[in-house]
Amino acid sequence: MTILKAIIVDDEEFARSSLFFLLQQNCPDIEITGIARSVAEAKDIIANHPIDLIFLDIAMPGGNGFELIPEAQKQHAAVIFTTAYDQYALRAIKANALDYLLKPIDIDELKIAVEKVTQHLRLFQNKHETDERISNLANSLGSRSEIKKLTLPYGQGFKMIDVDDIIYIEADSNYSIVHLNNENKITVSKILREFEEILPNEQFVRIHKSSIINLNHLKEYNSKNGLQVFLNNGESMNISRRRASDFFEKIKLFTKASSDH
């Protein structure tokens, strides 16, 4: 069993000690080589010890957790973010397919997150890819703007796409098929609800239990054969009755926002 060296970075004493205890009791392949109360302390530990994994709090007094990213990237260390509930932060983390633990940390969620990260480190070793995902997250949280890029599990790694390139997403059992404007499509192991939580709310609308469309790619809609949308790629799709009022409300807001710009 390969032991991964990890550090915990959190300004809250209870959060540090409880995570340390949970890791010792439940994750035998993780060795905690340092515990830091601040970004400055963490930088010193990273500079003097080889690190495979960082449990990183995002919001800390005296320094944002993202200040550690350049140091983490130098050692190609994986990162599991630990955060209190912050809706935007969670959206950005999920959009970049990065691992996180929501405080207070659940034992089973901790085990799952550690297993995912250790498997990725051991099997794929795609360092550039992880670095880019973390950089995208830092940029998103720095600007607090809408999510612009999405990281999708693909084959033995991840594919990064621009949100604007998505035409629509269709459900396929426990999977979703993402259709892009270059006629490519990607099948990912996410359900539509997960995309609803991540994608910009005013740009994307769920028109059916099995489909979400990007309003930027909407060409027209009419009710000649039941309520339908027609997309720029030539495809047409039905709008379910229960989704119709939400669709028209989104159209109204989207049109207003477009005219304001």
Side-chain angles (χ1 to χ4, degrees):
M1 178 174 63
T2 303
I3 300 297
L4 299 179
K5 299 182 182 298
I7 64 170
I8 296 170
V9 186
D10 201 305
D11 64 298
E12 298 175 3
E13 182 178 355
F14 177 76
R16 294 193 303 271
S17 59
S18 60
L19 178 54
F20 177 77
F21 175 78
L22 289 174
L23 287 165
Q24 282 204 316
Q25 295 297 311
N26 298 282
C27 302
D29 51 349
I30 300 294
E31 177 188 346
I32 301 300
T33 59
I35 299 178
R37 298 169 295 180
S38 66
V39 170
E41 285 186 9
K43 286 182 178 179
D44 185 59
I45 294 172
I46 294 172
N48 292 286
H49 299 86
I51 300 297
D52 301 304
L53 174 60
I54 302 173
F55 292 91
L56 180 60
D57 187 21
I58 295 175
M60 292 181 285
N64 187 293
F66 288 105
E67 293 178 34
L68 281 180
I69 298 305
E71 277 71 23
Q73 290 175 327
K74 288 175 186 175
Q75 295 208 27
H76 301 298
V79 177
I80 295 178
F81 294 97
T82 60
T83 180
Y85 182 74
D86 177 327
Q87 188 174 23
Y88 185 86
L90 292 181
R91 283 182 63 207
I93 290 169
K94 291 176 182 178
N96 287 286
L98 292 162
D99 291 286
Y100 70 95
L101 294 166
L102 193 60
K103 297 176 183 177
I105 292 171
D106 177 82
I107 294 174
D108 291 332
E109 291 176 358
L110 173 63
K111 290 178 180 178
I112 292 169
V114 168
E115 180 63 23
K116 284 171 62 179
V117 166
T118 52
Q119 282 185 0
H120 188 76
L121 285 173
R122 290 166 182 164
L123 295 178
F124 304 133
Q125 298 291 318
N126 194 333
K127 307 301 188 181
H128 171 74
E129 174 188 89
T130 301
D131 292 351
E132 189 174 353
R133 287 156 62 205
I134 292 175
S135 295
N136 285 341
L137 174 60
N139 291 336
S140 295
L141 291 183
S143 64
R144 288 270 163 172
S145 59
E146 284 292 357
I147 304 300
K148 298 297 183 185
K149 286 186 176 292
L150 209 58
T151 303
L152 302 177
Y154 185 70
Q156 291 188 337
F158 296 88
K159 190 176 186 68
M160 295 175 194
I161 63 171
D162 290 327
V163 164
D164 289 340
D165 288 340
I166 298 172
I167 298 177
Y168 70 96
I169 307 171
E170 65 175 320
D172 183 11
S173 186
N174 291 325
Y175 294 81
S176 295
I177 303 173
V178 181
H179 294 257
L180 304 171
N181 63 7
N182 56 9
E183 297 186 359
N184 286 339
K185 57 185 179 181
I186 302 171
T187 301
V188 295
S189 56
K190 288 180 180 289
I191 59 174
L192 285 188
R193 169 61 66 181
E194 293 179 79
F195 284 102
E196 280 189 293
E197 293 173 354
I198 294 169
L199 293 168
N201 187 52
E202 64 279 354
Q203 183 180 346
F204 289 83
V205 58
R206 189 163 182 171
I207 61 169
H208 193 276
K209 66 179 181 180
S210 61
S211 52
I212 296 173
I213 66 168
N214 182 349
L215 293 176
N216 282 332
H217 293 279
L218 176 64
K219 186 175 181 180
E220 68 172 282
Y221 58 93
N222 65 52
S223 55
K224 290 178 182 177
N225 299 302
L227 192 55
Q228 289 184 304
V229 295
F230 297 83
L231 304 174
N232 287 333
N233 66 348
E235 295 189 54
S236 62
M237 308 175 75
N238 293 325
I239 302 175
S240 66
R241 288 182 182 177
R242 65 184 297 265
R243 303 274 180 183
S245 60
D246 185 45
F247 171 75
F248 287 121
E249 185 62 29
K250 286 283 183 71
I251 285 290
K252 187 190 304 180
L253 294 173
F254 182 75
T255 304
K256 182 179 185 300
S258 298
S259 62
D260 289 344
H261 290 102

Short mmCIF file of all heavy atoms in Angstrom, two decimals, residues 18-39:
data_model
loop_
_atom_site.label_atom_id
_atom_site.label_comp_id
_atom_site.label_asym_id
_atom_site.label_seq_id
_atom_site.Cartn_x
_atom_site.Cartn_y
_atom_site.Cartn_z
N SER A 18 -10.51 17.68 14.25
CA SER A 18 -11.51 16.66 13.92
C SER A 18 -11.16 15.96 12.60
O SER A 18 -11.30 14.73 12.49
CB SER A 18 -12.91 17.26 13.84
OG SER A 18 -12.98 18.27 12.85
N LEU A 19 -10.68 16.70 11.60
CA LEU A 19 -10.29 16.08 10.33
C LEU A 19 -9.08 15.17 10.54
O LEU A 19 -9.02 14.06 9.99
CB LEU A 19 -9.98 17.15 9.29
CG LEU A 19 -9.52 16.65 7.92
CD1 LEU A 19 -10.50 15.64 7.34
CD2 LEU A 19 -9.32 17.82 6.96
N PHE A 20 -8.11 15.63 11.34
CA PHE A 20 -6.93 14.81 11.65
C PHE A 20 -7.36 13.49 12.28
O PHE A 20 -6.89 12.41 11.89
CB PHE A 20 -5.99 15.57 12.59
CG PHE A 20 -4.78 14.78 13.02
CD1 PHE A 20 -3.71 14.59 12.17
CD2 PHE A 20 -4.72 14.22 14.29
CE1 PHE A 20 -2.59 13.86 12.56
CE2 PHE A 20 -3.62 13.49 14.69
CZ PHE A 20 -2.55 13.31 13.83
N PHE A 21 -8.26 13.55 13.25
CA PHE A 21 -8.74 12.35 13.93
C PHE A 21 -9.47 11.41 12.95
O PHE A 21 -9.23 10.20 12.94
CB PHE A 21 -9.68 12.74 15.07
CG PHE A 21 -10.33 11.57 15.75
CD1 PHE A 21 -9.62 10.81 16.67
CD2 PHE A 21 -11.64 11.20 15.46
CE1 PHE A 21 -10.22 9.71 17.31
CE2 PHE A 21 -12.24 10.11 16.07
CZ PHE A 21 -11.53 9.36 17.00
N LEU A 22 -10.35 11.97 12.11
CA LEU A 22 -11.09 11.16 11.15
C LEU A 22 -10.16 10.45 10.17
O LEU A 22 -10.37 9.28 9.82
CB LEU A 22 -12.10 12.02 10.39
CG LEU A 22 -13.31 12.53 11.17
CD1 LEU A 22 -14.14 13.48 10.32
CD2 LEU A 22 -14.17 11.36 11.65
N LEU A 23 -9.14 11.17 9.72
CA LEU A 23 -8.18 10.57 8.78
C LEU A 23 -7.39 9.45 9.43
O LEU A 23 -7.17 8.39 8.85
CB LEU A 23 -7.24 11.65 8.23
CG LEU A 23 -7.86 12.62 7.22
CD1 LEU A 23 -6.97 13.84 7.02
CD2 LEU A 23 -8.11 11.92 5.89
N GLN A 24 -6.94 9.68 10.67
CA GLN A 24 -6.17 8.65 11.37
C GLN A 24 -7.00 7.39 11.59
O GLN A 24 -6.48 6.27 11.50
CB GLN A 24 -5.68 9.20 12.71
CG GLN A 24 -4.46 10.11 12.60
CD GLN A 24 -3.68 10.14 13.91
OE1 GLN A 24 -4.26 10.25 14.97
NE2 GLN A 24 -2.37 10.06 13.83
N GLN A 25 -8.27 7.56 11.89
CA GLN A 25 -9.12 6.42 12.21
C GLN A 25 -9.65 5.69 10.98
O GLN A 25 -9.96 4.50 11.05
CB GLN A 25 -10.32 6.90 13.06
CG GLN A 25 -9.95 7.45 14.42
CD GLN A 25 -9.30 6.40 15.30
OE1 GLN A 25 -9.80 5.30 15.44
NE2 GLN A 25 -8.18 6.75 15.91
N ASN A 26 -9.74 6.40 9.84
CA ASN A 26 -10.46 5.82 8.70
C ASN A 26 -9.68 5.74 7.39
O ASN A 26 -10.14 5.09 6.46
CB ASN A 26 -11.73 6.65 8.44
CG ASN A 26 -12.69 6.63 9.62
OD1 ASN A 26 -13.41 5.68 9.83
ND2 ASN A 26 -12.68 7.71 10.41
N CYS A 27 -8.54 6.39 7.31
CA CYS A 27 -7.79 6.42 6.04
C CYS A 27 -6.33 6.03 6.28
O CYS A 27 -5.45 6.91 6.37
CB CYS A 27 -7.88 7.81 5.42
SG CYS A 27 -9.57 8.37 5.11
N PRO A 28 -6.05 4.73 6.39
CA PRO A 28 -4.70 4.28 6.73
C PRO A 28 -3.64 4.59 5.68
O PRO A 28 -2.44 4.55 5.98
CB PRO A 28 -4.87 2.76 6.90
CG PRO A 28 -6.10 2.42 6.11
CD PRO A 28 -6.99 3.61 6.23
N ASP A 29 -4.06 4.88 4.44
CA ASP A 29 -3.07 5.17 3.40
C ASP A 29 -2.75 6.66 3.31
O ASP A 29 -2.05 7.10 2.41
CB ASP A 29 -3.54 4.66 2.04
CG ASP A 29 -4.94 5.11 1.68
OD1 ASP A 29 -5.64 5.63 2.57
OD2 ASP A 29 -5.34 4.92 0.53
N ILE A 30 -3.27 7.46 4.27
CA ILE A 30 -2.96 8.89 4.33
C ILE A 30 -2.09 9.16 5.56
O ILE A 30 -2.46 8.81 6.68
CB ILE A 30 -4.24 9.74 4.42
CG1 ILE A 30 -5.13 9.53 3.21
CG2 ILE A 30 -3.87 11.23 4.58
CD1 ILE A 30 -4.55 10.02 1.90
N GLU A 31 -0.94 9.76 5.34
CA GLU A 31 -0.06 10.16 6.44
C GLU A 31 -0.06 11.69 6.53
O GLU A 31 0.33 12.38 5.59
CB GLU A 31 1.37 9.67 6.20
CG GLU A 31 2.35 10.12 7.28
CD GLU A 31 3.79 9.80 6.94
OE1 GLU A 31 4.01 8.99 6.00
OE2 GLU A 31 4.69 10.37 7.57
N ILE A 32 -0.52 12.23 7.66
CA ILE A 32 -0.54 13.67 7.86
C ILE A 32 0.86 14.13 8.28
O ILE A 32 1.35 13.78 9.36
CB ILE A 32 -1.57 14.08 8.92
CG1 ILE A 32 -2.97 13.62 8.51
CG2 ILE A 32 -1.56 15.60 9.13
CD1 ILE A 32 -3.45 14.20 7.20
N THR A 33 1.51 14.88 7.40
CA THR A 33 2.88 15.33 7.69
C THR A 33 2.92 16.78 8.18
O THR A 33 4.00 17.27 8.52
CB THR A 33 3.75 15.20 6.42
OG1 THR A 33 3.18 16.00 5.38
CG2 THR A 33 3.83 13.76 5.96
N GLY A 34 1.77 17.44 8.21
CA GLY A 34 1.76 18.81 8.71
C GLY A 34 0.34 19.33 8.85
O GLY A 34 -0.56 18.91 8.14
N ILE A 35 0.16 20.22 9.83
CA ILE A 35 -1.12 20.89 10.04
C ILE A 35 -0.85 22.38 10.13
O ILE A 35 -0.01 22.82 10.92
CB ILE A 35 -1.82 20.39 11.32
CG1 ILE A 35 -2.11 18.89 11.23
CG2 ILE A 35 -3.11 21.17 11.56
CD1 ILE A 35 -2.75 18.30 12.46
N ALA A 36 -1.56 23.16 9.30
CA ALA A 36 -1.31 24.60 9.23
C ALA A 36 -2.56 25.38 9.60
O ALA A 36 -3.67 25.02 9.22
CB ALA A 36 -0.84 24.99 7.83
N ARG A 37 -2.35 26.49 10.33
CA ARG A 37 -3.46 27.36 10.73
C ARG A 37 -3.67 28.52 9.76
O ARG A 37 -4.63 29.26 9.87
CB ARG A 37 -3.20 27.92 12.13
CG ARG A 37 -3.11 26.87 13.21
CD ARG A 37 -2.60 27.46 14.51
NE ARG A 37 -1.21 27.91 14.35
CZ ARG A 37 -0.51 28.47 15.33
NH1 ARG A 37 -1.07 28.68 16.51
NH2 ARG A 37 0.74 28.84 15.11
N SER A 38 -2.72 28.66 8.83
CA SER A 38 -2.79 29.81 7.91
C SER A 38 -2.09 29.46 6.61
O SER A 38 -1.37 28.45 6.51
CB SER A 38 -2.10 31.02 8.55
OG SER A 38 -0.71 30.77 8.69
N VAL A 39 -2.28 30.33 5.63
CA VAL A 39 -1.60 30.16 4.34
C VAL A 39 -0.09 30.22 4.52
O VAL A 39 0.65 29.43 3.93
CB VAL A 39 -2.09 31.23 3.34
CG1 VAL A 39 -1.23 31.21 2.08
CG2 VAL A 39 -3.55 30.99 2.97
#
